Coordinates of all heavy atoms in Angstrom, one line a residue:
M72 N -22.3 6.4 -20.5 CA -22.4 7.7 -19.8 C -23.9 8.0 -19.6 O -24.8 7.4 -20.3 CB -21.8 8.8 -20.6 CG -20.3 8.8 -20.8 SD -19.7 9.9 -22.1 CE -20.1 8.9 -23.6
V73 N -24.2 8.9 -18.7 CA -25.5 9.4 -18.5 C -25.5 10.9 -18.4 O -24.8 11.5 -17.6 CB -26.1 8.9 -17.1 CG1 -27.5 9.4 -17.0 CG2 -26.2 7.4 -17.1
L74 N -26.2 11.6 -19.4 CA -26.3 13.0 -19.4 C -27.5 13.4 -18.5 O -28.6 12.9 -18.7 CB -26.5 13.5 -20.8 CG -25.3 13.7 -21.7 CD1 -24.6 12.4 -21.9 CD2 -25.7 14.3 -23.0
V75 N -27.2 14.3 -17.5 CA -28.2 14.6 -16.5 C -28.5 16.1 -16.7 O -27.6 17.0 -16.4 CB -27.7 14.3 -15.1 CG1 -28.8 14.7 -14.1 CG2 -27.3 12.8 -15.0
Y76 N -29.8 16.5 -17.0 CA -30.2 17.9 -17.1 C -31.2 18.1 -15.9 O -32.1 17.4 -15.7 CB -30.9 18.1 -18.4 CG -30.0 18.0 -19.6 CD1 -29.7 16.7 -20.2 CD2 -29.4 19.1 -20.2 CE1 -28.9 16.6 -21.3 CE2 -28.6 19.0 -21.3 CZ -28.3 17.8 -21.8 OH -27.4 17.7 -22.9
H77 N -30.9 19.2 -15.2 CA -31.6 19.4 -13.9 C -31.9 20.9 -13.7 O -31.0 21.7 -13.9 CB -30.8 18.8 -12.8 CG -31.5 19.0 -11.4 ND1 -32.5 18.3 -10.9 CD2 -31.2 20.0 -10.5 CE1 -32.9 18.7 -9.7 NE2 -32.1 19.8 -9.4
R78 N -33.1 21.2 -13.3 CA -33.4 22.5 -12.8 C -34.3 22.4 -11.6 O -35.3 21.7 -11.6 CB -34.2 23.3 -13.9 CG -34.4 24.8 -13.5 CD -35.2 25.5 -14.5 NE -34.5 25.7 -15.8 CZ -33.7 26.8 -16.0 NH1 -33.6 27.7 -15.0 NH2 -33.1 26.9 -17.1
D79 N -33.9 23.0 -10.5 CA -34.6 22.9 -9.2 C -36.1 23.2 -9.3 O -36.9 22.5 -8.7 CB -33.9 23.7 -8.1 CG -32.5 23.2 -7.7 OD1 -32.3 22.0 -7.9 OD2 -31.7 24.0 -7.2
A80 N -36.4 24.3 -10.0 CA -37.8 24.7 -10.1 C -38.6 23.9 -11.2 O -39.8 24.2 -11.4 CB -37.8 26.2 -10.5
G81 N -38.0 23.0 -11.8 CA -38.6 22.2 -12.9 C -38.1 22.6 -14.3 O -37.9 23.8 -14.5
L82 N -37.9 21.6 -15.1 CA -37.4 21.8 -16.5 C -38.4 22.6 -17.3 O -39.6 22.2 -17.3 CB -37.0 20.5 -17.1 CG -35.8 19.8 -16.5 CD1 -35.6 18.4 -17.2 CD2 -34.5 20.6 -16.7
T83 N -38.0 23.5 -18.1 CA -38.8 24.2 -19.0 C -38.8 23.6 -20.4 O -37.9 22.7 -20.7 CB -38.4 25.7 -19.1 OG1 -37.1 25.8 -19.7 CG2 -38.4 26.4 -17.8
A84 N -39.7 24.0 -21.3 CA -39.7 23.5 -22.7 C -38.4 23.9 -23.3 O -37.8 23.1 -24.1 CB -40.8 24.1 -23.4
A85 N -37.8 25.0 -23.0 CA -36.5 25.4 -23.6 C -35.4 24.5 -23.1 O -34.5 24.2 -23.9 CB -36.2 26.9 -23.3
D86 N -35.5 24.1 -21.8 CA -34.5 23.2 -21.3 C -34.5 21.9 -22.0 O -33.4 21.3 -22.4 CB -34.7 23.0 -19.8 CG -34.5 24.2 -19.0 OD1 -33.8 25.1 -19.4 OD2 -35.1 24.3 -17.8
R87 N -35.7 21.4 -22.3 CA -35.8 20.1 -23.0 C -35.3 20.2 -24.4 O -34.7 19.3 -25.0 CB -37.2 19.6 -22.9 CG -37.7 19.3 -21.5 CD -39.2 18.6 -21.6 NE -39.6 18.3 -20.2 CZ -40.3 19.2 -19.5 NH1 -40.6 20.4 -19.9 NH2 -40.7 18.8 -18.3
A88 N -35.6 21.3 -25.0 CA -35.1 21.5 -26.4 C -33.6 21.6 -26.4 O -32.9 21.1 -27.3 CB -35.7 22.8 -27.0
T89 N -33.0 22.3 -25.4 CA -31.5 22.4 -25.3 C -30.9 21.0 -25.2 O -29.9 20.7 -25.8 CB -31.1 23.3 -24.1 OG1 -31.6 24.6 -24.3 CG2 -29.6 23.3 -24.0
A90 N -31.5 20.2 -24.3 CA -31.0 18.8 -24.1 C -31.1 18.0 -25.4 O -30.1 17.3 -25.7 CB -31.9 18.2 -23.0
A91 N -32.2 18.1 -26.1 CA -32.3 17.3 -27.3 C -31.3 17.8 -28.4 O -30.7 16.9 -29.1 CB -33.7 17.5 -27.9
E92 N -31.1 19.1 -28.5 CA -30.1 19.6 -29.4 C -28.7 19.1 -29.1 O -27.9 18.7 -30.0 CB -30.1 21.1 -29.4 CG -31.4 21.7 -30.0 CD -31.4 23.2 -29.9 OE1 -30.4 23.8 -29.3 OE2 -32.5 23.8 -30.2
Q93 N -28.3 19.2 -27.8 CA -27.0 18.7 -27.4 C -26.8 17.2 -27.6 O -25.7 16.8 -28.0 CB -26.7 19.1 -25.9 CG -26.6 20.6 -25.7 CD -26.4 21.0 -24.3 OE1 -26.4 20.1 -23.4 NE2 -26.2 22.3 -24.0
V94 N -27.8 16.4 -27.3 CA -27.7 15.0 -27.5 C -27.6 14.7 -29.0 O -26.8 13.8 -29.4 CB -28.9 14.3 -26.9 CG1 -28.9 12.8 -27.3 CG2 -28.9 14.4 -25.4
A95 N -28.3 15.4 -29.8 CA -28.2 15.2 -31.3 C -26.8 15.6 -31.8 O -26.2 14.9 -32.6 CB -29.2 16.1 -32.0
E96 N -26.2 16.6 -31.2 CA -24.9 17.0 -31.6 C -23.8 16.0 -31.2 O -22.9 15.7 -31.9 CB -24.5 18.4 -30.9 CG -23.1 18.9 -31.4 CD -22.8 20.3 -30.7 OE1 -23.7 20.9 -30.1 OE2 -21.6 20.7 -30.9
I97 N -24.0 15.4 -30.0 CA -23.1 14.3 -29.5 C -23.3 13.1 -30.5 O -22.3 12.5 -30.9 CB -23.5 13.9 -28.1 CG1 -23.1 15.1 -27.1 CG2 -22.7 12.7 -27.7 CD1 -23.6 14.9 -25.7
A98 N -24.5 12.8 -30.8 CA -24.7 11.6 -31.7 C -24.1 11.8 -33.1 O -23.7 10.9 -33.7 CB -26.2 11.3 -31.8
G99 N -24.1 13.1 -33.5 CA -23.5 13.4 -34.8 C -22.0 13.4 -34.8 O -21.3 13.1 -35.8
A100 N -21.4 13.7 -33.6 CA -20.0 13.8 -33.5 C -19.3 12.4 -33.2 O -18.1 12.2 -33.4 CB -19.6 14.8 -32.5
H101 N -20.1 11.5 -32.6 CA -19.6 10.2 -32.1 C -20.5 9.1 -32.5 O -21.7 9.2 -32.7 CB -19.4 10.3 -30.6 CG -18.5 11.3 -30.2 ND1 -17.1 11.3 -30.3 CD2 -18.7 12.6 -29.6 CE1 -16.5 12.4 -29.8 NE2 -17.5 13.2 -29.4
E102 N -19.8 7.9 -32.6 CA -20.6 6.7 -32.9 C -21.2 6.1 -31.7 O -20.5 5.5 -30.8 CB -19.6 5.6 -33.6 CG -19.0 6.1 -34.9 CD -18.0 5.1 -35.5 OE1 -17.9 4.0 -34.9 OE2 -17.3 5.4 -36.4
L103 N -22.5 6.2 -31.5 CA -23.2 5.7 -30.4 C -23.8 4.4 -30.7 O -24.1 4.0 -31.8 CB -24.3 6.7 -29.9 CG -23.9 8.1 -29.7 CD1 -25.0 9.0 -29.2 CD2 -22.7 8.2 -28.7
T104 N -24.0 3.5 -29.6 CA -24.5 2.2 -29.8 C -26.0 2.2 -30.1 O -26.5 1.1 -30.5 CB -24.2 1.3 -28.6 OG1 -24.8 2.0 -27.4 CG2 -22.7 1.2 -28.4
G105 N -26.7 3.2 -29.8 CA -28.1 3.3 -30.1 C -28.6 4.8 -30.1 O -27.8 5.7 -29.8
R106 N -29.8 4.9 -30.3 CA -30.4 6.3 -30.3 C -30.8 6.7 -28.9 O -31.7 6.1 -28.3 CB -31.6 6.4 -31.3 CG -32.1 7.8 -31.4 CD -33.3 7.8 -32.4 NE -33.8 9.1 -32.5 CZ -34.9 9.4 -33.3 NH1 -35.4 8.5 -34.1 NH2 -35.3 10.7 -33.4
P107 N -30.1 7.7 -28.3 CA -30.5 8.1 -26.9 C -31.9 8.6 -26.8 O -32.4 9.3 -27.6 CB -29.5 9.2 -26.6 CG -28.4 9.1 -27.6 CD -29.1 8.5 -28.9
A108 N -32.5 8.1 -25.7 CA -33.9 8.5 -25.4 C -33.9 9.1 -24.0 O -33.4 8.5 -23.1 CB -34.9 7.4 -25.5
G109 N -34.6 10.3 -23.9 CA -34.6 10.9 -22.6 C -35.6 10.3 -21.6 O -36.7 9.8 -22.0
I110 N -35.3 10.2 -20.3 CA -36.1 9.6 -19.3 C -36.4 10.7 -18.3 O -35.5 11.1 -17.5 CB -35.5 8.4 -18.7 CG1 -35.1 7.3 -19.7 CG2 -36.4 7.8 -17.6 CD1 -34.3 6.1 -19.2
P111 N -37.6 11.3 -18.2 CA -37.9 12.3 -17.3 C -38.1 11.8 -15.9 O -38.6 10.7 -15.7 CB -39.1 13.0 -17.8 CG -39.8 11.9 -18.6 CD -38.7 11.0 -19.1
S112 N -37.8 12.6 -14.9 CA -38.1 12.2 -13.5 C -39.6 12.5 -13.2 O -40.2 13.3 -13.9 CB -37.2 13.0 -12.5 OG -37.5 14.4 -12.6
K113 N -40.2 11.9 -12.2 CA -41.6 12.1 -11.9 C -41.9 13.5 -11.4 O -43.0 14.0 -11.7 CB -42.0 11.1 -10.8 CG -42.0 9.6 -11.3 CD -42.5 8.7 -10.1 CE -42.5 7.2 -10.6 NZ -42.9 6.3 -9.6
D114 N -40.9 14.1 -10.8 CA -41.2 15.5 -10.3 C -40.9 16.6 -11.3 O -41.1 17.8 -11.1 CB -40.3 15.8 -9.0 CG -38.8 15.7 -9.3 OD1 -38.4 15.5 -10.4 OD2 -38.1 15.7 -8.3
G115 N -40.4 16.2 -12.5 CA -40.2 17.1 -13.6 C -39.0 18.0 -13.5 O -38.8 18.9 -14.3
T116 N -38.1 17.7 -12.5 CA -36.9 18.5 -12.4 C -35.7 18.0 -13.1 O -34.8 18.8 -13.3 CB -36.5 18.6 -10.9 OG1 -36.2 17.2 -10.4 CG2 -37.6 19.1 -10.0
T117 N -35.8 16.8 -13.6 CA -34.6 16.1 -14.2 C -34.9 15.3 -15.4 O -36.0 14.7 -15.5 CB -33.9 15.2 -13.1 OG1 -33.7 15.9 -11.9 CG2 -32.6 14.7 -13.6
L118 N -34.0 15.3 -16.3 CA -34.1 14.5 -17.6 C -32.8 13.9 -17.8 O -31.7 14.5 -17.8 CB -34.5 15.4 -18.7 CG -34.6 14.8 -20.1 CD1 -35.8 13.8 -20.1 CD2 -34.8 15.8 -21.2
M119 N -32.8 12.5 -17.9 CA -31.5 11.8 -18.1 C -31.5 11.1 -19.4 O -32.5 10.6 -19.9 CB -31.2 10.8 -17.0 CG -32.1 9.6 -16.9 SD -31.4 8.4 -15.8 CE -32.7 7.1 -15.9
Y120 N -30.3 11.2 -20.1 CA -30.1 10.5 -21.4 C -29.0 9.5 -21.2 O -27.8 9.9 -21.1 CB -29.7 11.5 -22.5 CG -30.9 12.3 -23.1 CD1 -31.3 13.5 -22.5 CD2 -31.5 11.8 -24.2 CE1 -32.3 14.2 -23.1 CE2 -32.5 12.6 -24.8 CZ -32.9 13.8 -24.2 OH -33.9 14.5 -24.8
P121 N -29.3 8.2 -21.2 CA -28.2 7.2 -21.2 C -27.6 7.2 -22.6 O -28.2 7.1 -23.6 CB -28.9 5.9 -20.9 CG -30.2 6.3 -20.3 CD -30.6 7.6 -20.9
V122 N -26.2 7.3 -22.6 CA -25.5 7.3 -23.8 C -24.3 6.3 -23.8 O -23.7 6.2 -22.7 CB -24.9 8.7 -24.1 CG1 -24.0 8.8 -25.3 CG2 -26.0 9.7 -24.3
A123 N -24.1 5.6 -24.8 CA -23.0 4.6 -24.8 C -22.3 4.6 -26.2 O -23.0 4.8 -27.2 CB -23.5 3.2 -24.5
S124 N -21.0 4.4 -26.2 CA -20.2 4.5 -27.4 C -19.1 3.4 -27.3 O -18.5 3.3 -26.3 CB -19.7 5.8 -27.7 OG -18.8 5.8 -28.8

Side-chain angles (χ1 to χ4, degrees):
M72 294 167 281
V73 179
L74 278 61
V75 183
Y76 294 85
H77 176 82
R78 186 183 290 273
D79 291 337
L82 294 172
T83 65
D86 293 336
R87 295 186 180 90
T89 297
E92 290 173 6
Q93 291 181 353
V94 171
E96 184 178 351
I97 292 169
H101 300 284
E102 298 176 8
L103 304 184
T104 57
R106 184 177 180 180
I110 304 173
S112 64
K113 292 180 180 179
D114 61 7
T116 63
T117 309
L118 180 65
M119 71 169 178
Y120 279 88
V122 174
S124 173

